[in-house]
Amino acid sequence: MRKCNVQMVAEVVNRLAPRRLAEEWDNPGLLIGDPTTEVKKIFVCLDVLDDKISQAIELDAQLIVAHHPLIFRAIKNVRFDLPLGNKIARLIKNNLAVFAAHTNLDTATGGVNDVLSEKIGLVDVKLLGEEEFSMCRLGNLKEPLTAADFARHVKKVLNADNIRLVDAGNFLIRKVGVCGGAGADFIQKAKFFGAQAFVTGDVKYHDAQAAVENEIHVVDAGHFATEFPIVHVLAEYLRDELKDFDVEIFEDTSAKDFFATI
Ligand SMILES: [Zn+2]
């Protein structure tokens, strides 16, 4: 079997989610590690949390591939007594590299939002808008649904604990816009392109107000539940692409939303 290194995995991820698709403010790519380090085990997860680092160490992995960049804004210290510095120290001490594919994976064909559209069962899925690239998708339901029934459907297919519905009136949903994570900025655009509902996470009070005023239902399924499905898809993609290499791919199956409903 051929040997694999960090750079080769990075290239495989970049084929799915090219770096140029990332937003300007984003920080994807190799965040910790050496491109030439040999990789025999990879751990795929959504967030590089303390317990995920522990899992990767337990597995004796050399690389974590995550959706959210561990290092996002410029850091001015690496203090072991603070959460981020502590994580960086643990990763380095354990020779663990970290690679992130964030908004480039949101935008990519077959990425976060195609996976989300597929989970919801949308058909005729296309980009939201007329741009060459978009994070958001627009697709049709096979059968029209009421807002409440659609929200229940989303809750079920995403296995979400907590769904919030902004019911914008008594009209059925045929066309749906989606943006996993925090996509409330695109609600009105989805309405403009004919959606009766939008699925995203992190919706704020005034986003909900604007949605009602613009007569588009919003299903806030949570940042976590709208993005977590990508972990399995990304792990499967890596298994397939790296099948001729001496490398094993493990995926996080135990992550939970930070929010609980009381
Ligand atoms: Zn996210």
Side-chain angles (χ1 to χ4, degrees):
M1 290 275 255
R2 290 156 69 191
K3 284 186 177 173
C4 184
N5 67 23
V6 170
Q7 181 59 32
M8 290 154 92
V9 180
E11 279 163 18
V12 168
V13 177
N14 283 336
R15 273 211 297 278
L16 173 68
R19 182 72 169 73
R20 67 188 156 78
L21 298 183
E23 299 291 313
E24 220 176 292
W25 46 262
D26 202 4
N27 192 40
L30 184 60
L31 303 177
I32 294 181
D34 179 339
T36 63
T37 299
E38 192 184 344
V39 174
K40 290 193 157 188
K41 288 179 179 174
I42 301 171
F43 184 67
V44 183
C45 57
L46 196 69
D47 292 289
V48 185
L49 304 175
D50 245 329
D51 62 329
K52 300 305 148 200
I53 297 172
S54 301
Q55 272 178 262
I57 293 169
E58 193 83 4
L59 286 165
D60 203 15
Q62 293 78 33
L63 174 63
I64 294 176
V65 176
H67 179 48
H68 292 133
L70 173 72
I71 301 169
F72 196 64
R73 295 178 190 87
I75 53 174
K76 294 193 172 179
N77 55 50
V78 183
R79 281 181 48 169
F80 300 178
D81 59 327
L82 297 176
L84 179 58
N86 187 266
K87 286 195 278 188
I88 292 170
R90 287 185 75 208
L91 289 158
I92 293 172
K93 277 183 205 157
N94 289 282
N95 299 314
L96 256 168
V98 174
F99 186 88
H102 188 210
T103 52
N104 44 330
L105 190 57
D106 291 327
T107 301
T109 303
V112 172
N113 289 298
D114 279 330
V115 172
L116 180 58
S117 301
E118 201 185 310
K119 282 260 169 199
I120 295 170
L122 300 181
V123 292
D124 309 320
V125 176
K126 52 184 189 175
L127 301 184
L128 172 60
E130 283 153 354
E131 289 112 287
E132 197 184 345
F133 304 107
S134 173
M135 282 196 250
C136 307
R137 300 291 186 270
L138 189 67
N140 297 321
L141 290 174
K142 284 176 203 142
E143 305 277 336
L145 289 174
T146 64
D149 283 344
F150 178 62
R152 275 188 283 270
H153 167 72
V154 172
K155 181 176 162 83
K156 194 170 134 205
V157 296
L158 295 184
N159 199 16
D161 296 331
N162 179 25
I163 291 265
R164 296 188 304 164
L165 169 65
V166 180
D167 188 328
N170 190 20
F171 53 91
L172 291 174
I173 300 166
R174 289 184 172 79
K175 201 177 274 298
V176 176
V178 306
C179 185
D185 287 350
F186 304 105
I187 294 170
Q188 289 181 42
K189 187 173 179 184
K191 166 72 186 185
F192 181 81
F193 284 97
Q196 289 88 33
F198 194 74
V199 179
T200 188
D202 293 349
V203 176
K204 293 183 186 153
Y205 181 84
H206 289 295
D207 301 326
Q209 179 194 346
V212 171
E213 288 171 351
N214 284 284
E215 297 180 342
I216 176 167
H217 302 300
V218 174
V219 174
D220 182 341
H223 196 124
F224 177 82
T226 53
E227 293 192 332
F228 190 64
I230 194 61
V231 170
H232 175 66
V233 173
L234 184 56
E236 285 286 84
Y237 168 78
L238 290 174
R239 281 179 196 119
D240 194 44
E241 293 289 316
L242 295 168
K243 61 181 182 297
D244 298 330
F245 291 85
D246 182 17
V247 61
E248 273 183 285
I249 290 99
F250 299 84
E251 65 188 81
D252 182 20
T253 54
S254 63
K256 291 218 157 29
D257 200 336
F258 296 112
F259 292 99
T261 307
I262 304 299

